[in-house]
Amino acid sequence: MKSSRRTFLISSIGVASALAVSRTAFADPVKLPESDSMAQSLGYKLDATTVDKAKFPRYAAGQDCGNCSFYQGKATDAFAGCPMFAGKQVASKGWCNAYNKKA
Ligand code: SF4
């Protein structure tokens, strides 16, 4: 009796842990905020047209995440992953100093 109760408790904990892990795995990816320290060091902006051109002279009009080779989404995706900011999503209309024109 005691053993089956322990088995039940242990398997309940296992199920709860598995659910917690799967909920994390399927949670919406976090959108990269401009306030993120890495985002600030790379001059990331949600709207490329607001890039500080004096501070980031590599920026040129027409460049944005959507036409950057690092953008992991389709051209029509408003947000997608970028290896510069692992685990977060960047805006298709955004920009950062690691921009590299898609071939
Ligand atoms: S590397 Fe490219 S896709 Fe990633 S944030 Fe910078 S401009 Fe956007």
Side-chain angles (χ1 to χ4, degrees):
M1 187 76 169
K2 208 172 185 180
S3 157
S4 69
R5 188 170 164 207
R6 187 181 309 143
T7 304
F8 172 76
L9 280 174
I10 290 171
S11 60
S12 298
I13 291 167
V15 169
S17 305
L19 284 174
V21 168
S22 66
R23 281 189 65 173
T24 304
F26 293 109
D28 279 345
V30 177
K31 292 186 173 83
L32 177 70
E34 291 179 0
S35 58
D36 179 280
S37 60
M38 182 70 174
Q40 289 193 337
S41 66
L42 281 176
Y44 172 77
K45 290 287 180 189
L46 280 157
D47 177 355
T49 62
T50 65
V51 169
D52 181 345
K53 294 161 193 87
K55 213 168 161 189
F56 297 98
R58 287 191 70 234
Y59 173 76
Q63 296 178 346
D64 62 31
C65 295
N67 60 39
C68 171
S69 66
F70 295 115
Y71 194 63
Q72 295 174 328
K74 296 188 291 284
T76 51
D77 293 338
F79 284 85
C82 167
M84 301 303 148
F85 305 102
K88 305 231 169 85
Q89 292 209 320
V90 298
S92 164
K93 296 293 172 208
W95 185 90
C96 91
N97 205 34
Y99 175 86
N100 184 51
K101 189 172 172 51
K102 195 183 281 181

